[in-house]
């Protein structure tokens, strides 16, 4: 359950809370609109929907630990690469990959892992696991704001990527 909390903390914490903070800094610096970056996230969501059945099949066949480790590593790498975005197509490419990799890091493996480990008190275990989402917002939002204010959005993406690798 601890691994599930940490995965939800980083995966959802970045996706649902920190990304908006980074986007605001990127809008100002790169001169893009909200729609430009939102579209890149939508493309990623479509791709994630396409690969989700494949991730599920992989988890069923090999277990959650392999796909989670690989996807966490790749997600952290994408977050580091976000600091090197200069063109809109870079954002489309990196955010699309990040959304796809997050599917194997957070959503499917966490739910399968927790539901397989707990037959009694499964609901409680799932509730604890998903508490990581809220914790991600509580901690990563102010952390992202602080980092961006002090070291800029480019380096801050790298810090968040390294934090993903560490967790």
């Amino acid at each position: 359950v601890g691994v599930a909390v940490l995965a939800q903390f980083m995966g959802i914490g970045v996706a649902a809370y920190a990304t908006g903070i980074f986007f605001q800094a990127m809008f100002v610096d790169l001169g893009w609109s909200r729609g430009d970056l939102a579209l890149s996230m939508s493309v990623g969501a479509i791709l994630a929907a396409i690969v989700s059945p494949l991730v599920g099949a992989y988890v069923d066949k090999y277990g959650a630990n392999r796909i989670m480790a690989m996807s966490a590593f790749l997600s952290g790498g994408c977050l580091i690469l976000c600091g090197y975005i200069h063109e809109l197509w870079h954002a489309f490419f990196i955010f699309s990959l990040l959304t796809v990799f997050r599917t194997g890091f957070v959503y499917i493996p966490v739910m399968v892992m927790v539901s397989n480990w707990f037959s009694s008190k499964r609901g409680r275990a799932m509730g604890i696991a998903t508490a990581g989402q809220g914790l991600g917002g509580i901690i990563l939002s102010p952390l992202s704001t602080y980092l961006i204010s002090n070291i800029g959005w480019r380096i801050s993406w790298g810090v968040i990527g390294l934090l993903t690798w560490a967790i």
Side-chain angles (χ1 to χ4, degrees):
V1 175
V3 170
V5 169
L6 291 174
Q8 297 284 320
F9 172 84
M10 281 310 298
I12 305 299
V14 171
Y17 303 104
T19 300
I21 296 166
F22 277 95
F23 277 10
Q24 188 59 41
M26 293 171 75
F27 298 149
V28 172
D29 189 39
L30 299 170
W32 296 341
S33 71
R34 288 184 191 273
D36 292 335
L37 287 175
L39 183 59
S40 72
M41 298 299 280
S42 297
V43 169
I46 292 167
L47 293 173
I50 293 168
V51 294
S52 289
L54 300 173
V55 171
Y58 187 92
V59 170
D60 286 341
K61 187 170 185 175
Y62 299 107
N65 59 343
R66 288 182 186 171
I67 191 82
M68 283 183 76
M70 180 181 66
S71 296
F73 178 77
L74 293 170
S75 294
C78 283
L79 291 167
I80 292 168
L81 287 175
C82 286
Y84 296 94
I85 291 173
H86 293 283
E87 302 290 333
L88 190 56
W89 75 267
H90 298 161
F92 270 78
F93 183 72
I94 294 169
F95 287 126
S96 293
L97 285 178
L98 179 59
T99 305
V100 168
F101 295 145
R102 192 178 296 121
T103 303
F105 172 37
V106 178
Y107 306 114
I108 297 166
V110 165
M111 296 306 137
V112 170
M113 180 175 59
V114 173
S115 65
N116 284 344
W117 284 349
F118 293 89
S119 56
S120 68
K121 300 184 182 177
R122 184 176 290 150
R124 182 179 298 168
M126 295 290 266
I128 292 169
T130 56
Q133 297 176 11
L135 290 173
I138 291 168
I139 295 169
L140 292 176
S141 293
L143 175 63
S144 298
T145 301
Y146 174 80
L147 289 172
I148 292 167
S149 297
N150 289 290
I151 60 175
W153 66 268
R154 293 186 184 278
I155 296 172
S156 297
W157 273 123
V159 171
I160 298 296
L162 292 173
L163 183 60
T164 301
W165 282 349
I167 288 179

